[in-house]
Amino acid sequence: MARELLTQDELSELAAELGAWEVSGSELQRTFRFGNFVEAFGFMAAAALVAEKMDHHPNWSNVYSTVDVALNTHDRGGVTELDAALARAMDGLAGAAG
Ligand code: H2B
């Protein structure tokens, strides 16, 4: 089930797959770095549409060209397949940048 917490083994596999993300016990974390504020905000706008469609939303903050993202499933208090899916989607949107 997408909303079930991932096991330690599944988290380890995910960490190997998502090289740029740090997998902590209860969060997936990544810092995206762009060329400027417009690129960073464009990424956030695109990611927001994906998140809304998934009904799964990031915890994030933006300072100029940098976007700090922490993903977890609030309803479960940890990382689920929904977070993995959103992380993959964000990586796709960031492309070579980030
Ligand atoms: N986003 C995240 N990251 N975790 C959740 O548990 C969550 C969410 N729950 N977005 C959704 C909204 C829930 O509150 C609604 C009612 O479906």
Side-chain angles (χ1 to χ4, degrees):
M1 283 269 294
R3 279 181 179 277
E4 281 174 13
L5 292 177
L6 298 186
T7 64
Q8 280 306 321
D9 281 356
E10 288 168 336
L11 285 173
S12 298
E13 280 175 33
L14 192 60
E17 179 201 330
L18 299 174
W21 293 80
E22 198 164 300
V23 183
S24 85
S26 60
E27 282 187 343
L28 280 181
Q29 300 168 347
R30 177 171 177 185
T31 298
F32 290 91
R33 292 189 174 82
F34 297 91
N36 54 47
F37 174 71
V38 170
E39 287 177 19
F41 202 82
F43 163 77
M44 293 177 84
L49 295 180
V50 172
E52 185 62 12
K53 205 168 197 173
M54 291 174 67
D55 190 29
H56 196 68
H57 304 89
N59 306 324
W60 57 7
S61 63
N62 159 241
V63 178
Y64 183 51
S65 59
T66 296
V67 182
D68 283 312
V69 180
L71 303 180
N72 86 344
T73 300
H74 313 147
D75 297 348
R76 291 286 177 274
V79 176
T80 69
E81 189 53 45
L82 285 174
D83 301 298
L86 185 53
R88 292 183 193 107
M90 287 179 139
D91 282 354
L93 290 171

